[in-house]
Amino acid sequence: MEYVKFAFRNLKRHYSRTVVTIFTISLGFVALGILGGVVTNIFSRLKGQAIVVEKLGHITIAKKGFFDNHKIHPENYIFTKNELNEVLKILEEFPEIRIATPRLSIFGMANNGISNTIFLSEAIEPLADSILQTTVIDGRSKTRGATTISNTQDNLVAIGSELANNLNLKIGDNLTLFTNTIDGMANAVDVEIEKIYNTGNPATNDKFILTNLKLIQELYDTNGADRIVLLLEDETKIQSIKTALIPLLQSKGIEIEAKPWDELSLFYSRVTKMFGIIFRVLTIIISVVVLLTLLNTMQMSVNERTREIGTLRAVGMTKSKIIKVFVIEAVIISLLGALFAMPLLYLVKFILDNMNITFIPPVGSAPVPITLIFKVKNILLVAGLFSLASIISSYLASRKIAGQQIIQSLLKFN
């Protein structure tokens, strides 16, 4: 405690320099806080896009080999009705699973009576999907761009907005879907457009159709499904549930594989990796600036107090204790800088939340609001990083003079 009091007294002696240094550190902390908050917001929006809008849930179960080969021979990876019922019955034994819903994906040609275009369809159970829409993502119970279809009629669909533009369709219009059945026979079905929405992904917005599972089973001439999507009560248990499910189902003679949402999302892993690299590079640059600022401040302080250091050494203070005093001074400066930065960060967050500024995120097609999401661990990490920079700078600045001959320090004239 005596060292802390001594450090505070020394900081007060050079009040202006201390204030400028604290202000510089605060700006660095705010810059990293804003950057980290924006990046975390982007990650959170992409997470919601994958889990809710892309309808991946938390875990997807499929027959073994499905994820690598289903596009070539989709008929080989369909769960039969009996297999589907058996798997769903086993999944009901897990209280951690909120919903387990079958899915079926197909592709084909869509015709509006005049022209054709390719379509991709995800067949869902509307009631289960409506529960998926309420999934809380980082405190948000509603995910922008999420939609589902009604359960009142099997032929109701929702289509991507670009697809609607390409075929000149509006709500209430009819559309004919053509595809091959599981046995390779041509088949078609008429659907009614209930909703037109932006899928949030330019790769699918011009071809995606959300359909009812019963309708697509009829079109594909099957009573099964190719996947089962799980939504958990607690997303932190994804790995444990996945690990428990695979051997349990295999013991029942059902060869399956399971993948979490982040492995199945089209863009999540690549975008997060890219922004992660950018954030780390900028963190290093800003940290170096803070380190050099602190080093300059501590070097000036040490040079001005050379005779004081010699006097302290003459009355018995060791080299390590003198270095300790300077280290404490630097840590206090960095912590005060971080402390004063917190109100500024939340002021910026308040302004952004109320200005309702939007942007289109990477690989997105729909605007989302710019806001900041702060995580305690990230804030503590930045504070720890700045504290480490302060320790390094104070040590480098003080070790030489603290270790020189006492007589040299006492003869030093500023």
Side-chain angles (χ1 to χ4, degrees):
M1 184 58 69
E2 290 299 323
Y3 288 106
V4 175
K5 291 180 180 178
F6 190 42
F8 268 112
R9 279 200 224 92
N10 287 329
L11 293 176
K12 289 180 181 179
R13 288 166 57 187
H14 302 283
Y15 181 80
S16 298
R17 184 193 302 155
T18 301
V19 169
V20 170
T21 305
I22 291 175
F23 180 71
T24 303
I25 293 172
S26 294
L27 287 181
F29 196 96
V30 168
L32 278 182
I34 293 174
L35 178 63
V38 169
V39 170
T40 303
N41 177 51
I42 292 174
F43 289 177
S44 177
R45 300 289 176 177
L46 290 172
K47 179 180 177 181
Q49 172 80 17
I51 294 175
V52 181
V53 181
E54 293 180 30
K55 303 186 181 300
L56 296 176
H58 289 131
I59 302 175
T60 297
I61 297 174
K63 281 192 172 182
K64 195 168 185 179
F66 170 86
F67 296 109
D68 294 326
N69 304 311
H70 77 282
K71 293 181 180 179
I72 302 174
H73 298 290
E75 68 279 0
N76 295 338
Y77 302 98
I78 298 290
F79 287 109
T80 65
K81 186 175 182 179
N82 290 336
E83 290 173 333
L84 196 59
N85 290 337
E86 185 176 357
V87 173
L88 291 175
K89 185 177 180 180
I90 293 173
L91 295 176
E92 289 176 356
E93 300 175 3
F94 287 80
E96 301 91 345
I97 299 176
R98 187 179 177 190
I99 59 170
T101 177
R103 295 285 179 80
L104 184 59
S105 293
I106 66 167
F107 63 92
M109 299 296 295
N111 180 275
N112 64 350
I114 301 175
S115 57
N116 298 318
T117 189
I118 296 172
F119 78 88
L120 302 174
S121 176
E122 177 79 346
I124 62 167
E125 293 181 321
L127 292 179
D129 194 61
S130 63
I131 297 175
L132 178 63
Q133 307 304 303
T134 64
T135 305
V136 177
I137 305 294
D138 296 328
R140 300 188 310 273
S141 58
K142 292 184 179 180
T143 301
R144 185 175 291 229
T147 193
T148 189
I149 53 177
S150 301
N151 197 40
T152 54
Q153 296 176 227
D154 293 346
N155 69 331
L156 296 178
V157 301
I159 68 173
S161 55
E162 282 299 314
L163 177 60
N165 289 335
N166 293 341
L167 293 180
N168 193 27
L169 298 170
K170 60 183 183 299
I171 293 175
D173 286 351
N174 292 320
L175 190 64
T176 302
L177 306 182
F178 296 89
T179 191
N180 290 332
T181 67
I182 192 172
D183 297 317
M185 303 294 292
N187 201 2
V189 67
D190 290 326
V191 298
E192 179 183 338
I193 299 171
E194 180 190 22
K195 294 179 181 178
I196 297 174
Y197 76 110
N198 193 321
T199 65
N201 188 333
T204 61
N205 199 35
D206 62 346
K207 58 181 71 73
F208 186 76
I209 302 179
L210 185 65
T211 55
N212 191 302
L213 179 63
K214 293 179 181 178
L215 178 76
I216 297 304
Q217 285 177 330
E218 178 185 339
L219 177 62
Y220 200 52
D221 193 23
T222 181
N223 52 14
D226 58 10
R227 287 159 295 131
I228 300 173
V229 171
L230 309 182
L231 181 68
L232 308 184
E233 297 286 355
D234 182 1
E235 66 175 276
T236 61
K237 295 184 179 180
I238 289 177
Q239 190 58 43
S240 61
I241 295 296
K242 175 186 170 184
T243 304
L245 275 177
I246 294 177
L248 177 60
L249 290 172
Q250 288 177 343
S251 68
K252 304 291 184 179
I254 305 173
E255 292 292 328
I256 64 107
E257 56 185 352
K259 286 193 175 185
W261 64 270
D262 53 344
E263 292 183 21
L264 295 175
S265 178
L266 294 174
F267 303 107
Y268 181 83
S269 59
R270 281 179 285 179
V271 172
T272 53
K273 183 177 180 179
M274 177 187 72
F275 274 90
I277 292 173
I278 293 172
F279 179 69
R280 284 191 287 271
V281 169
L282 291 177
T283 298
I284 292 172
I285 293 172
I286 294 174
S287 298
V288 169
V289 171
V290 170
L291 174 64
L292 294 176
T293 301
L294 281 168
L295 183 60
N296 179 64
T297 300
M298 299 310 299
Q299 190 67 57
M300 292 174 65
S301 178
V302 168
N303 288 337
E304 291 174 358
R305 292 157 58 186
T306 302
R307 297 184 68 188
E308 176 186 330
I309 292 171
T311 303
L312 291 173
R313 291 290 310 281
V315 298
M317 183 174 281
T318 62
K319 172 185 175 181
S320 60
K321 289 182 179 180
I322 290 174
I323 293 175
K324 184 177 181 180
V325 171
F326 284 103
V327 168
I328 292 174
E329 288 180 25
V331 171
I332 290 173
I333 289 175
S334 65
L335 292 179
L336 286 175
L339 181 64
F340 291 139
M342 293 306 298
L344 294 176
L345 277 176
Y346 279 94
L347 176 61
V348 173
K349 176 177 171 58
F350 176 80
I351 293 173
L352 290 176
D353 288 345
N354 286 275
M355 290 182 68
N356 197 28
I357 302 174
T358 61
F359 77 113
I360 297 179
V363 302
S365 60
V368 298
I370 296 179
T371 186
L372 303 180
I373 296 179
F374 299 132
K375 291 189 175 180
V376 175
K377 67 175 184 179
N378 292 342
I379 292 176
L380 293 178
L381 178 63
V382 174
L385 189 62
F386 281 16
S387 296
L388 178 62
S390 68
I391 292 172
I392 294 174
S393 63
S394 58
Y395 176 78
L396 293 176
S398 62
R399 64 172 184 160
K400 182 178 179 180
I401 294 181
Q404 71 180 10
Q405 295 293 325
I406 295 176
I407 190 65
Q408 289 180 311
S409 298
L410 292 173
L411 293 175
K412 171 72 176 181
F413 290 94
N414 295 322

